[in-house]
Amino acid sequence: AQTVTQSQPEMSVQEAETVTLSCTYDTSESDYYLFWYKQPPSRQMILVIRQEAYKQQNATENRFSVNFQKAAKSFSLKISDSQLGDAAMYFCAYRLRMVDMRFGAGTRLTVKP
Amino acid sequence: KAGVTQTPRYLIKTRGQQVTLSCSPISGHRSVSWYQQTPGQGLQFLFEYFSETQRNKGNFPGRFSGRQFSNSRSEMNVSTLELGDSALYLCASSLTGDNEQFFGPGTRLTVL
């Protein structure tokens, strides 16, 4: 079974600094998708960034980038120039084609002004 | 494009009752998935529907059921509610089901 592990239940970062959230996953497949989702307090879950496993280039979306290490089955999220609005629960997710998405337990990110 | 919508947003029921939650996906999306989110168990997959057929199912008892209509709207039903069913129920839609999902705001169900 595919599992997703987020080893950091909580993280804290100073505004304008950089923070990296960790995610590892377990799979025997070679073609899959990885995602980071953000869930602000009492608000909707939104997609932050996606990565297709067959692509070697790491995905980036403005201040958000990933470090995808396929052999190590690692998929970390780097947030640069952290803003107060980045405070949220961040979920790492894995999805095989046509199979349900698996989520990690989440990392709660606090941004200090 | 309008996002994923879920109704109702909040629901209070008592044990033994039945509840139906509704989800309207993003226009053009054919896949709808349902998740249960609780502080203790995190996000747990309930089921996925694609073109009116259940394609995947999580490890939930038969009290949890769902369906999808021809316009891709989906409903999930929970019968004989238990206290442990109190949770945020999230619906997510995707274009074909093998890529990213877009989530609705959720329905907060409280079982007393």
Side-chain angles (χ1 to χ4, degrees):
Chain A
Q2 294 83 18
T3 59
V4 179
T5 302
Q6 292 179 249
S7 59
Q8 307 152 316
E10 296 184 1
M11 290 283 285
S12 178
V13 63
Q14 206 70 34
E15 198 175 3
E17 297 291 305
T18 296
V19 64
T20 299
L21 308 183
S22 301
C23 173
T24 58
Y25 57 95
D26 180 31
T27 185
S28 57
E29 304 291 336
S30 60
D31 187 15
Y32 48 87
Y33 294 92
L34 294 165
F35 308 93
W36 278 97
Y37 282 89
K38 166 186 176 181
Q39 188 178 37
S42 301
R43 292 181 63 185
Q44 201 156 330
M45 187 162 331
I46 59 175
L47 177 68
V48 174
I49 200 164
R50 61 173 273 174
Q51 174 82 43
E52 287 112 326
Y54 68 87
K55 290 185 178 179
Q56 293 186 342
Q57 187 172 6
N58 290 322
T60 62
E61 286 288 341
N62 301 314
R63 298 182 295 107
F64 299 88
S65 62
V66 297
N67 183 4
F68 173 47
Q69 302 288 327
K70 192 172 184 178
K73 298 177 186 175
S74 170
F75 182 60
S76 60
L77 174 70
K78 186 172 83 170
I79 306 174
S80 304
D81 186 25
S82 296
Q83 300 174 359
L84 294 177
D86 294 333
M89 279 290 285
Y90 285 82
F91 293 95
C92 177
Y94 162 100
R95 184 167 203 183
L96 272 178
R97 292 182 185 276
M98 315 301 268
V99 180
D100 60 283
M101 189 174 287
R102 302 295 172 94
F103 287 86
T107 297
R108 183 176 302 281
L109 178 66
T110 302
V111 181
K112 297 178 179 178
Chain B
K1 267 187 182 179
V4 178
T5 58
Q6 292 187 245
T7 56
R9 293 292 310 279
Y10 302 91
L11 210 47
I12 299 175
K13 293 286 187 179
T14 56
R15 279 186 303 170
Q17 285 188 309
Q18 172 181 289
V19 67
T20 299
L21 312 182
S22 180
C23 171
S24 292
I26 292 171
S27 177
H29 284 195
R30 297 166 63 189
S31 167
V32 173
S33 295
W34 288 90
Y35 297 88
Q36 182 194 67
Q37 186 176 27
T38 59
Q41 299 295 319
L43 276 156
Q44 292 189 288
F45 171 74
L46 281 155
F47 27 66
E48 179 195 11
Y49 286 87
F50 181 79
S51 294
E52 301 180 66
T53 301
Q54 187 180 85
R55 185 160 68 179
N56 292 296
K57 188 176 188 305
N59 294 324
F60 277 81
R63 301 186 295 107
F64 292 81
S65 63
R67 59 178 175 167
Q68 186 180 33
F69 302 95
S70 58
N71 61 358
S72 293
R73 189 177 70 85
S74 177
E75 288 181 348
M76 69 162 280
N77 184 278
V78 187
S79 62
T80 319
L81 284 166
E82 300 177 359
L83 296 178
D85 297 333
S86 294
L88 181 66
Y89 289 88
L90 294 170
C91 164
S93 77
S94 67
L95 204 57
T96 61
D98 64 352
N99 39 28
E100 65 266 30
Q101 296 181 333
F102 296 89
F103 284 81
T107 294
R108 172 78 60 185
L109 172 64
T110 301
V111 182
L112 302 176

